[in-house]
Amino acid sequence: MLSYEEARRTVIEQIGKKRGPRAVSAVSVWDALGLVLAQEVKTDREYPPFDRSTRDGYALRSIEAAPGAELLCVGEIKAGDAVTKPLSIGTCVQIMTGAALPPGADAVVMIEHTQRNGDVVRFERAARAGQNIVPRGSEAASGQTILTPGMRLGYAELALAAQVGAAQLQCAKRPRVAILSTGDEVVLVDETPGEFQIRNSNSVSLAAQVRIAGGEPVVLGNAADRVEELSDKIAVGLKEDMLVLSGGVSMGKYDLVEKVLKAMGAEFFFDAVAIRPGKPAVFGMCQGKPVFGLPGNPVSTMVTFELFVVPAIDLLSGAEARPLPLVEARLVETMREKTGLTHFLPARVEWRGARPEVKPLRWQGSGDIAALAHANCFLVVPAEKETLETGEHVSVLMRKDVV
Ligand code: AMP
Ligand code: MG
């Protein structure tokens, strides 16, 4: 059985092999958050475009500022003012943050380190050439590539595009991810379940996870545990870029997902992973499309999506597979776990002291959505670990949607 790291690598390798050119479209910089860039963005000029003051103060020649030196202030420069007139010897000019330095000036002295008396400014200390200035072109040259294809557009990347005037960006289209729940006991969210039925919560969590990962969910509802209905709905799902199923992949007599996929030509790369929850997770290719069969217990579905489906969505979006959001935290209680499988347990990380601290939450196993709704991470217990001591450093997989 593969470890979760091996299973992730398998997904990345297999989907990497199939990755072709993605459909792209032009998107306004206002609407491109979370999309993957499909073009290069270059600067339209040098950045900064002029020698820029980073402080409110006085622009001067650094050699003229010594402790006790006095200079005549000959005017002021606000941010946005055009500056052409060189600074004369023996003078300084009042300057604001973001304004351009006059030719001849090579330093800015903060207003806090000066005393003003009429037009005469007295300096308290020496100045160093270049202080409080960002020189023209020091952030980027003109025509320099600043964003490259495959980058995911977050707020900083969008600001950078906006700065250089790239108001429209060629972005990869979001991969369309079909979501199919399975199970005779499952009813739609707006239906009233019978006493022994349950609502389809997995399609809701999966759609949310697909969105967060950068995909576009295509929700196909639920298929009963019958070969024909499953085949029909899987066939619909295979029209999209990827298919994610929940339920029907365990050892039960009515767990038919693998059998049906196989009959439809699927090739499987794994059908079990050494994790709990989520052990029966299945990954394969069917008719050229990646297919995931995730176990139906809600927490298993959520964990296996984060581990295996997120990298697949990244690759289909034209990005690299992002690393798992693992951080180290100090365990605040002693735990005993069964060995053999890597456990992902609902837990809460708190940032109280110098280091993050993590505490596992009580839960009733992988059907317990309520426990997960109070968790902000999964505590990762390595497969070979039987006891974890208070104070030990452990890995936690962050829930990036709530932290
Ligand atoms: P399965 O993987 O099909 O054996 O299902 C495992 C458990 O998950 C069972 O208790 C199912 O009732 C539950 N389950 C399956 N599908 C869903 C769903 N769409 N929403 C919520 N729970 C589900
Ligand atoms: Mg089932």
Side-chain angles (χ1 to χ4, degrees):
M1 206 178 351
L2 299 183
S3 68
Y4 80 89
E5 293 100 331
E6 288 164 338
R8 261 176 75 83
R9 274 199 293 279
T10 303
V11 169
I12 293 167
E13 204 179 288
Q14 291 303 328
I15 296 184
K17 274 188 203 166
K18 299 259 173 202
R19 194 154 56 141
R22 289 284 314 159
V24 301
S25 64
V27 182
S28 153
V29 75
W30 294 100
D31 300 324
L33 179 64
L35 294 176
V36 175
L37 192 63
Q39 65 164 99
E40 286 195 338
V41 176
K42 294 184 195 300
T43 53
D44 56 329
R45 54 180 177 164
E46 288 178 293
Y47 284 90
F50 49 83
D51 293 334
R52 182 178 65 207
S53 175
T54 61
R55 292 283 187 273
D56 295 314
Y58 293 94
L60 45 63
R61 290 184 162 73
S62 55
I63 47 161
E64 294 191 311
E70 292 184 340
L71 295 172
L72 183 68
C73 180
V74 294
E76 65 170 38
I77 305 171
K78 303 193 297 297
D81 284 353
V83 290
T84 45
K85 215 173 121 215
L87 190 70
S88 316
I89 307 281
T91 69
C92 63
V93 64
Q94 190 164 10
I95 194 163
M96 318 302 153
T97 301
L101 259 78
D106 68 351
V108 170
V109 174
M110 287 163 69
I111 201 149
E112 293 89 330
H113 300 154
T114 64
Q115 280 168 23
R116 180 133 179 193
N117 192 350
D119 285 340
V120 176
V121 183
R122 188 184 165 86
F123 295 88
E124 289 169 0
R125 47 178 90 171
R128 184 178 42 75
Q131 75 178 30
N132 301 324
I133 296 167
V134 184
R136 173 176 180 164
S138 62
E139 289 167 2
S142 181
Q144 186 180 327
T145 301
I146 46 160
L147 295 169
T148 50
M151 286 179 91
R152 197 173 287 280
L153 297 166
Y155 53 79
E157 292 74 16
L158 293 173
L160 191 54
Q163 184 184 46
V164 303
Q168 296 281 321
L169 296 164
Q170 291 291 328
C171 297
K173 290 207 167 138
R174 294 182 186 280
R176 290 171 57 89
V177 180
I179 295 170
L180 179 57
S181 154
T182 72
D184 287 342
E185 75 282 30
V186 178
V187 304
L188 301 180
V189 176
D190 50 8
E191 287 173 358
T192 306
E195 192 177 358
F196 302 104
Q197 294 180 314
I198 56 160
R199 293 192 181 89
N200 178 4
S201 63
N202 283 348
S203 290
V204 173
S205 55
L206 285 170
Q209 287 177 289
V210 165
R211 279 214 179 85
I212 293 166
E216 187 180 328
V218 181
V219 178
L220 302 181
N222 184 70
D225 295 315
R226 274 183 288 281
V227 170
E228 194 157 295
E229 187 171 340
L230 263 174
S231 309
D232 290 351
K233 292 195 168 159
I234 286 173
V236 175
L238 290 173
K239 296 200 171 93
E240 308 300 345
D241 297 313
M242 192 195 304
L243 171 60
V244 177
L245 294 122
S246 86
V249 288
S250 305
M251 302 300 281
K253 190 172 159 197
Y254 297 98
D255 288 327
L256 302 171
V257 165
E258 252 180 286
K259 181 178 148 193
V260 170
L261 283 169
K262 192 160 191 134
M264 296 174 80
E267 178 192 0
F268 296 110
F269 301 106
F270 59 78
D271 64 0
V273 185
I275 54 173
R276 179 148 70 205
K279 185 169 153 220
V282 172
F283 164 60
M285 290 280 177
C286 189
Q287 301 172 18
K289 304 287 172 68
V291 177
F292 292 87
L294 308 183
N297 261 313
V299 181
S300 312
T301 315
M302 295 173 195
V303 170
T304 49
F305 186 98
E306 292 301 296
L307 295 177
F308 310 125
V309 187
V310 171
I313 293 178
D314 280 341
L315 292 170
L316 290 186
S317 308
E320 296 298 312
R322 70 197 105 173
L324 284 174
L326 290 168
V327 301
E328 203 180 73
R330 191 177 159 276
L331 187 63
V332 297
E333 64 181 52
T334 298
M335 298 169 60
R336 291 190 137 267
E337 288 293 313
K338 275 207 198 116
T339 57
L341 303 173
T342 302
H343 291 187
F344 291 85
L345 307 173
R348 271 203 83 82
V349 170
E350 306 285 354
W351 285 265
R352 283 202 197 87
R355 267 182 186 288
E357 293 186 342
V358 62
K359 188 181 162 72
L361 301 180
R362 314 261 154 265
W363 73 321
Q364 301 300 323
S366 54
D368 191 349
I369 311 178
L372 208 70
H374 293 111
N376 62 6
C377 68
F378 297 95
L379 199 166
V380 186
V381 184
E384 69 285 1
K385 241 356 208 172
E386 199 171 7
T387 325
L388 292 110
E389 304 290 350
T390 304
E392 213 174 298
H393 290 163
V394 293
S395 262
V396 301
L397 177 68
M398 297 310 299
R399 266 188 67 195
K400 286 196 300 185
D401 55 337
V402 292
V403 180

